Amino acid sequence: MKTIQISDVTLRMEEASALSFKERVEIARTLDRLGVDEIELPALRDGKAGVLSNKTIASVVSSARLSAAVGTTEESVTETWESVKAARQAVLHIMLPASSVQMEYLCHKKAPAILELARELTAKARYYTEHVAFSAIDAASSPVSFRRARILPCSTIDATRADPAFLCQLIAAAAEAGAEAVTVCDSAGIMTPGECARFIRSLREQAPALQKVRLGVELSDGMKMAAACAAAAVDAGAETVKASLTPMGVPAVPDLAAYLSARGEEKELRWNLRTTELNRAAGQLQWLIQTQRSGGSPFDSGVDEGAPTVCLTAGDGVEEVVKVVRHLGYDLTEEDNARVYESFQRIAAKKHFVNTRELDAIVASSAMQVPSTYRIINYVITCGNMTSAMASLTLEKDGERQQGVCAGDGPIDAAFLAIEQIIGHHYELADYQIQTVTEGREAMGSALVKLRSNGKLYSGNGISTDVIGASIRAYISALNKIVYEGN
């Protein structure tokens, strides 16, 4: 049985550039769950945001290879590798033109220079990882080229497409430099299935280097025949097909799945896709893209879209964080800025990034607060279905540390009782709310606690990736307001 690999290019396509950070991450999760063999990412082009996007996607993809396109410089190879090296299996993807027109237009280089560039970029990528892929863009050659070179009978009618002899040289250069996979791309999209099959067979015959690498195809859907051409290419020896979950000008994954389901056993082909939820996922993505084109978003963050997009990491200094806080419209004192940065560092240490909504929540919970009479040092919470919840907290007041240990009806109740044991007073809990600020496994929780003292309500807010921690911080925030006012 021959295993056909599906490399999904959804996130690499231009249509995906309009998607939000969260939407791209969710699409990557979906593709990984569906069992595609490889998820492709575009070349970095928007600075820190692109790097953070790659890093986050690398952290959520658990089974598929993650293939990130590099630019045309050795520096871009290094930068791309740094953004995806945490992935389970990261692939550096080099994409260079094979036709004379594309070489001049995209790289401003002649054929010999492109050959040398292919060797240099592949060798640089191979320095970081053994998983290097190479794509020859606009690789389908023309009948005119075939008649001249008497090599590679093929398809397209545009005489400016790749010269067959040069295409073989380009593939050889990439393979010799260390690429483990080579993809030929038909950018014109005017091959018929029969022509596509002949092109692949001839290419395998005339390019000995392909015997040592995995051959893939990326076929444009210019005549709405991409899926049929992909099937013909597989019959002719291609092992990987570049596709997208929803129609994006290349073969659609559901169409390939239909072909493999209907004819796979007969042709001794197999694949790794989980087809039971494929159509539902494809429909959701189609709806998502259509929503984006209409100007909306099904993943509305609740933050004013006019506000700047924030992608901060634990490595950012206090000046950078304060600058972003000011852009969000806050004018804080130095003391409040210090509190915001302290909370930011605590959250950023547990997450890959802090976005606009999260920074808003941090400001709300940390800034414009009264002096911290009580400060949390540490807490330990234990609970289970076979034992009572226990909380051990240590607070600091005026430089003196005090500890409380209590059991309660659940971890939150135990934590609040431990605080009351330390302060020696019971306050009426007038309200308690908790909600997620963000989504996913690393979601931030926001807690609201309202305490009643002498008939007056005091509210406190706390945020943390730990909902119990958020609740404790909210209680202490309200408690400090009570102490500050002498109640």
Side-chain angles (χ1 to χ4, degrees):
M1 294 287 283
K2 176 182 175 181
T3 300
I4 300 304
Q5 299 193 0
I6 304 298
S7 183
D8 192 282
V9 300
T10 299
L11 293 174
R12 206 194 78 205
M13 304 301 281
E14 186 64 30
E15 291 89 335
S17 62
L19 298 174
S20 70
F21 181 91
K22 184 191 298 183
E23 290 161 351
R24 293 196 295 272
V25 172
E26 289 305 315
I27 289 171
R29 289 182 193 272
T30 298
L31 293 171
D32 191 43
R33 188 172 63 250
L34 289 175
V36 300
D37 298 280
E38 192 167 271
I39 299 171
E40 298 199 23
L41 302 178
L44 296 172
R45 56 174 177 265
D46 50 357
K48 182 188 292 186
V51 171
L52 289 173
S53 176
N54 282 9
K55 286 184 176 180
T56 305
I57 291 174
S59 71
V60 303
V61 172
S62 60
S63 58
R65 296 190 301 272
L66 191 64
S67 176
V70 305
T72 56
T73 65
E74 293 190 19
E75 291 75 15
S76 70
V77 176
T78 301
E79 184 181 20
T80 302
W81 171 248
E82 291 296 323
S83 73
V84 296
K85 65 181 181 181
R88 186 191 68 86
Q89 185 172 316
V91 179
L92 291 177
H93 183 194
I94 298 155
M95 305 179 69
L96 290 177
S99 68
S100 57
V101 169
Q102 293 279 13
M103 283 187 274
E104 291 280 359
Y105 179 73
L106 295 179
C107 299
H108 310 294
K109 295 180 183 293
K110 300 293 185 180
I114 289 292
L115 285 176
E116 185 59 30
L117 182 61
R119 294 188 186 97
E120 291 174 356
L121 294 180
T122 305
K124 182 69 173 180
R126 191 64 179 78
Y127 171 79
Y128 293 110
T129 175
E130 62 181 357
H131 303 300
V132 178
F134 179 83
S135 286
I137 305 171
D138 210 24
S141 43
S142 70
V144 173
S145 298
F146 168 57
R147 288 195 297 271
R148 288 175 179 168
R150 299 195 179 279
I151 300 175
L152 300 180
C154 53
S155 54
T156 64
I157 59 175
D158 183 354
T160 63
R161 302 294 176 184
D163 174 74
F166 174 73
L167 178 58
C168 291
Q169 293 174 6
L170 187 59
I171 291 171
E176 290 167 4
E180 66 174 5
V182 170
T183 297
V184 289
C185 309
D186 171 31
S187 305
I190 55 176
M191 280 198 291
T192 65
E195 291 168 339
C196 184
R198 290 194 296 273
F199 173 65
I200 295 301
R201 289 193 190 99
S202 298
L203 188 61
R204 292 188 70 88
E205 292 173 1
Q206 300 297 329
L210 289 178
Q211 305 304 316
K212 300 181 292 184
V213 300
R214 189 174 66 249
L215 175 61
V217 290
E218 182 172 330
L219 304 164
S220 177
D221 200 23
M223 298 194 304
K224 307 302 179 185
M225 299 179 70
C229 288
V234 167
D235 289 344
E239 301 168 273
T240 300
V241 177
K242 303 292 184 77
S244 60
L245 188 56
T246 188
M248 288 184 171
V250 293
V253 175
D255 293 341
L256 294 176
Y259 166 70
L260 293 171
S261 296
R263 302 294 301 277
E265 185 174 352
E266 172 192 344
K267 293 178 175 289
E268 297 187 338
L269 302 174
R270 61 184 177 189
W271 68 103
N272 298 320
L273 285 174
R274 300 183 182 94
T275 56
T276 53
E277 52 182 307
L278 181 59
N279 290 330
R280 179 179 62 83
Q284 289 176 338
L285 178 57
Q286 182 66 26
W287 171 73
L288 174 65
I289 292 174
Q290 289 175 346
T291 303
Q292 276 288 348
R293 288 171 177 168
S294 66
S297 174
F299 294 106
D300 186 8
S301 67
V303 178
D304 179 10
E305 294 301 325
T309 300
V310 176
C311 286
L312 296 168
T313 68
D316 287 305
V318 62
E319 296 84 2
E320 183 67 24
V321 174
V322 170
K323 180 180 178 181
V324 175
V325 168
R326 287 173 179 165
H327 279 310
L328 290 175
Y330 294 104
D331 185 13
L332 306 180
T333 65
E334 290 187 11
E335 186 177 3
D336 282 336
N337 282 329
R339 291 194 184 109
V340 168
Y341 186 68
E342 181 182 359
S343 296
F344 161 78
Q345 283 291 321
R346 178 170 50 82
I347 298 299
K350 299 180 180 180
K351 295 173 63 64
H352 295 286
F353 65 96
V354 172
N355 61 28
T356 303
R357 189 174 183 180
E358 292 167 330
L359 193 60
D360 264 332
I362 289 171
V363 172
S365 65
S366 303
M368 297 171 284
Q369 302 291 318
V370 299
S372 297
T373 304
Y374 288 95
R375 190 168 67 90
I376 301 169
I377 301 300
N378 56 56
Y379 60 88
V380 177
I381 311 294
T382 59
C383 61
N385 63 346
M386 300 294 291
T387 183
S388 299
M390 294 288 297
S392 173
L393 275 83
T394 302
L395 302 181
E396 184 179 81
K397 179 184 179 184
D398 299 329
E400 180 183 351
R401 295 190 176 186
Q402 305 173 51
Q403 187 176 29
V405 179
C406 273
D409 185 16
I412 303 298
D413 183 56
F416 288 177
L417 288 174
I419 295 173
E420 291 181 354
Q421 184 186 81
I422 293 172
I423 65 178
H425 190 88
H426 169 73
Y427 292 103
E428 177 188 348
L429 182 62
D431 192 15
Y432 170 67
Q433 300 176 23
I434 191 161
Q435 61 183 359
T436 58
V437 177
T438 54
E439 299 174 3
R441 295 178 63 182
E442 294 182 334
M444 284 174 54
S446 174
L448 173 68
V449 168
K450 293 183 179 180
L451 301 178
R452 191 181 301 276
S453 177
N454 295 333
K456 185 176 179 181
L457 285 177
Y458 296 84
S459 65
N461 182 264
I463 60 171
S464 176
T465 52
D466 169 14
V467 294
I468 298 175
S471 302
I472 294 172
R473 295 179 189 282
Y475 193 105
I476 296 299
S477 176
L479 173 62
N480 282 329
K481 292 176 182 179
I482 293 175
V483 175
Y484 182 73
E485 291 195 4
N487 289 320

